[in-house]
């Protein structure tokens, strides 16, 4: 039997119909916002500390790319596993497990050089030769990626449970804004800790925060029908959309994800570590074709293609932007604080604005299809000026261009996530988000390796990298529209074994 996402009830609530809905759903949104903030703080610490760690351990750009490649691979696997797990045990338990894992992993980074001495041989046995420090940080990034991958399948599923369709894009934008707050806080907080106490304590201090959130989450989170603070009016608002029915399983999705992940990772390893580009192409093609055959639903692939093409751009900002500022504009770790904070502060505005615009368009009579795609088109266009970011001499000119692009990405992302809950029943959202996230992580893994190798070979030439970053969104939107021109809801098979008692 599938476990429901039940929380211990704090007594039976009497739902008085006061006429005005309570706002517990926005409390849930705030919890997800802070979870996303902590998630991004923990994943961004390494990028902010790249300069001092590179100096201490003698890393090349390729070494740093390898370390982040392993994070992306683990994130890819974690997306598949967490989407599946959360759809079965529920958001409350799923996110609690995830934040425990990623918080422990974040703190383990402090001991990465020691861990590296123990795991270096294991990497070597796989034919992956690397120094002890690279091996140690790569191992810690694997654990971090496995845990952090659950944040989006869990959060988007929670939004689908707690919000009616007309509010989902705005709620998604709000919780997704937490990623920018985390990315904004990291270059401010981490240098202060690192410069005063050393990089060791920067990892420890940021990793502990997750356990504070965990206590609040377990205390406050439950489903709308079991939460004593939700009145009848708010419950009616939450459940105002047509019922999903019993279907929640997307046939072939899990196997398609596993095949694609194995082939894409194997292809990237073959090309990077063993120089077998022909084998890599064969593996990429095999993985893609097999995954499409196993799961031919256009709605799944519309989301997955969008993630595969545009997630790597966001990973580029998170991982390589501090390095770009250091190399192109000669700032140190302290000097990068304000530019990075500015970029993610502006990105925060885009996250909220993207959800707000499409929600307002729906309220004004636009169809869901038109509202989502028109909003995505506007923000895809807003990203394009970043093609000039590596060609301007002014630090703040480059910061302005990247800020606009990062804001556009977050607005785009808020609507891309919402496409899933627009086209799939609530109980399938976690799995579909997980599959798409896996595809996005796959694109990010390829990007990490490609950027590191390219920068070493080109003497840190970021021009073609930013040109690609500025053009991918419009191409992705064109593919999405071809796949789902009317955003018709997916027709899923009903699993009789799970129909009566799916995840609450």
């Amino acid at each position: 039997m599938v476990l429901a996402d039940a929380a211990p009830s704090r007594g039976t609530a009497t739902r008085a119909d006061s006429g005005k809905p309570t706002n517990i759903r926005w409390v849930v949104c705030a919890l997800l916002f802070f979870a996303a903030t902590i998630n991004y703080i923990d994943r961004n610490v390494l990028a902010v500390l790249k300069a001092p760690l590179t100096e201490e351990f003698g890393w090349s750009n390729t070494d740093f790319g390898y370390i982040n490649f392993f994070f992306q691979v683990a994130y890819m696997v974690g997306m598949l596993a967490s989407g599946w797990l959360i759809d079965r045990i529920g958001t409350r338990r799923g996110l609690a497990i995830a934040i425990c894992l990623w918080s422990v992993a974040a703190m383990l980074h402090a001991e990465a050089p020691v861990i590296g001495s123990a795991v270096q041989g294991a990497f070597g046995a796989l034919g992956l030769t690397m120094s002890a420090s690279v091996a140690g940080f790569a191992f810690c990034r694997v654990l971090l990626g496995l845990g952090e991958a659950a944040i989006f399948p869990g959060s988007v599923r929670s939004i689908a449970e707690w919000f009616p369709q007309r509010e989902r894009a705005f709620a998604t934008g709000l919780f997704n804004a937490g990623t920018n707050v985390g990315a904004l806080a990291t270059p401010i907080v981490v240098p202060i800790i690192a410069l005063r106490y050393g990089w060791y304590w920067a990892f420890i201090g940021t990793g502990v925060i997750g356990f504070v959130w965990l206590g609040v989450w377990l205390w406050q989170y439950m489903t709308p029908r079991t939460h004593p603070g939700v009145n009848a009016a708010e419950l009616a608002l939450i459940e105002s959309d047509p019922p999903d029915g019993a279907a929640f399983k997307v046939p072939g999705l899990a196997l398609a994800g596993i095949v694609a992940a194995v082939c894409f990772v194997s292809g990237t390893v073959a090309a990077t570590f063993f120089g077998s580009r022909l084998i890599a192409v064969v593996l990429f093609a095999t993985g893609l074709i097999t995954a499409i055959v196993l799961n031919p639903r256009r709605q799944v692939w519309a989301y997955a293609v969008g993630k595969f093409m545009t997630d790597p751009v966001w990973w580029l900002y998170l991982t390589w932007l501090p390095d770009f500022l250091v190399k192109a504009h000669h700032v140190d770790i302290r000097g990068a604080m304000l530019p990075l904070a500015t970029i993610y502060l502006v990105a925060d505005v885009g996250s909220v604005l993207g959800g707000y615009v499409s929600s307002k368009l729906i309220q004004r009579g636009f169809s869901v299809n038109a509202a989502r795609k028109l909003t995505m088109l506007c923000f895809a266009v807003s990203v394009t000026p970043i093609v000039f970011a590596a060609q301007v001499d002014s630090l703040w000119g480059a910061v302005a261009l990247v800020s606009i692009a990062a804001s556009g990405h977050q607005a785009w992302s808020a609507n891309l996530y919402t496409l899933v809950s627009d086209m799939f029943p609530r109980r399938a959202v976690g799995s579909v988000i997980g599959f798409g996230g896996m595809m996005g992580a796959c694109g990010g893994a390829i990007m990490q390796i490609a950027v590191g190798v390219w920068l070493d070979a080109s003497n840190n030439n970021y021009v073609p990298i930013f040109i690609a970053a500025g053009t991918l969104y419009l191409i992705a939107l064109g593919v999405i529209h071809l796949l789902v021109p009317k955003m018709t809801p997916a027709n899923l098979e009903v699993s009789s074994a799970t129909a009566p008692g799916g995840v609450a």
Side-chain angles (χ1 to χ4, degrees):
M1 177 180 288
V2 178
L3 296 174
D5 193 11
S9 178
R10 297 193 293 265
T12 303
T14 301
R15 299 191 190 281
D17 189 357
S18 65
K20 184 177 180 180
T22 48
N23 291 305
I24 300 300
R25 65 195 186 281
W26 297 109
V27 174
V28 170
C29 189
L31 282 170
L32 299 174
F33 170 92
F34 286 113
T37 300
I38 296 166
N39 185 286
Y40 265 61
I41 289 174
D42 288 340
R43 78 173 61 178
N44 287 348
V45 174
L46 182 65
V48 173
L49 294 176
K50 179 180 183 290
L53 291 173
T54 296
E55 183 177 351
E56 181 169 340
F57 297 113
W59 294 343
S60 65
N61 287 315
T62 302
D63 289 333
F64 191 66
Y66 287 165
I67 292 170
N68 286 289
F69 166 76
F70 285 103
F71 173 86
Q72 300 282 179
V73 170
Y75 198 83
M76 186 190 315
V77 174
M79 274 287 182
L80 286 175
S82 62
W84 175 86
L85 183 66
I86 287 169
D87 276 343
R88 279 151 183 79
I89 70 173
T91 312
R92 184 175 188 269
R93 294 185 186 95
L95 282 182
I97 293 169
I99 200 162
C100 282
L101 175 57
W102 95 55
S103 296
V104 169
M107 291 188 288
L108 282 177
H109 281 66
E111 297 290 347
V114 176
I115 294 171
S117 300
V119 301
Q120 187 179 18
F123 282 107
L126 297 173
L128 310 177
T129 303
M130 57 187 71
S131 67
S133 65
V134 172
F137 277 96
F139 178 80
C140 293
R141 298 307 278 181
V142 167
L143 297 180
L144 187 70
L146 288 173
E148 290 208 335
I151 185 65
F152 290 108
S155 296
V156 175
R157 185 181 186 278
S158 183
I159 294 296
E161 291 175 343
W162 273 89
F163 288 84
Q165 187 179 57
R166 62 182 177 272
E167 292 183 343
R168 283 180 200 159
F170 183 51
T172 301
L174 284 178
F175 98 72
N176 195 42
T179 63
N180 302 309
V181 173
L184 184 157
T186 310
I188 297 174
V189 174
V190 169
I192 293 173
I193 299 174
L195 290 171
R196 185 164 185 176
Y197 301 105
W199 60 263
Y200 181 100
W201 290 105
F203 286 114
I204 297 293
T206 53
V208 169
I209 304 172
F211 293 104
V212 178
W213 179 90
L214 177 62
V216 180
W217 174 256
L218 293 175
W219 171 46
Q220 281 291 323
Y221 188 86
M222 55 195 73
T223 58
R225 283 194 165 270
T226 60
H227 200 296
V230 176
N231 69 1
E234 184 174 22
L235 186 63
L237 175 63
I238 292 169
E239 298 180 346
S240 60
D241 295 323
D244 288 335
F248 78 93
K249 188 175 182 181
V250 186
L253 184 61
L255 185 57
I258 292 169
V259 171
V262 170
C263 289
F264 289 166
V265 171
S266 300
T268 304
V269 170
T272 304
F273 292 95
F274 302 104
S276 304
R277 295 182 181 178
L278 179 59
I279 293 176
V281 171
V282 171
L283 286 169
F284 287 152
T286 301
L288 181 60
I289 293 169
T290 306
I292 291 173
V293 170
L294 289 170
N295 182 33
R297 286 168 183 78
R298 293 186 174 208
Q299 294 90 341
V300 171
W301 286 102
Y303 175 68
V305 168
K307 294 289 284 182
F308 180 82
M309 295 185 70
T310 61
D311 270 18
V313 180
W314 186 244
W315 289 112
L316 173 72
Y317 301 152
L318 296 177
T319 308
W320 294 97
L321 198 53
D323 180 74
F324 167 69
L325 295 176
V326 170
K327 299 285 179 58
H329 297 282
H330 312 293
V331 298
D332 57 15
I333 185 173
R334 193 190 301 271
M337 290 169 57
L338 185 57
L340 289 171
T342 301
I343 289 167
Y344 293 117
L345 180 62
V346 176
D348 224 9
V349 176
S351 182
V352 178
L353 185 62
Y356 175 81
V357 169
S358 66
S359 294
K360 276 296 180 183
L361 290 175
I362 292 172
Q363 292 173 16
R364 291 181 178 234
F366 283 73
S367 68
V368 172
N369 183 45
R372 302 288 191 235
K373 289 178 182 173
L374 182 59
T375 303
M376 292 172 76
L377 174 62
C378 291
F379 289 105
V381 171
S382 74
V383 171
T384 56
I386 199 176
V387 299
F388 302 108
Q391 303 173 56
V392 296
D393 295 329
S394 166
L395 167 64
W396 286 101
V399 168
L401 291 174
V402 176
S403 297
I404 294 169
S407 180
H409 172 90
Q410 289 296 76
W412 160 279
S413 186
N415 286 276
L416 183 61
Y417 281 123
T418 312
L419 293 185
V420 178
S421 56
D422 290 335
M423 296 187 291
F424 288 89
R426 291 178 182 88
R427 295 177 182 180
V429 165
S431 296
V432 177
I433 290 288
F435 179 79
M438 180 278 297
M439 293 295 292
C442 174
I446 296 170
M447 179 278 298
Q448 297 288 4
I449 293 292
V451 169
V453 172
W454 167 256
L455 290 176
D456 278 338
S458 66
N459 194 25
N460 299 304
N461 179 11
Y462 274 91
V463 172
I465 295 171
F466 283 124
I467 290 175
T471 55
L472 286 170
Y473 295 84
L474 289 171
I475 298 171
L477 181 58
V479 175
I480 290 170
H481 184 66
L482 286 174
L483 289 171
V484 285
K486 296 182 179 180
M487 281 178 55
T488 306
N491 182 21
L492 304 183
E493 296 177 10
V494 178
S495 174
S496 59
T498 55
V503 181

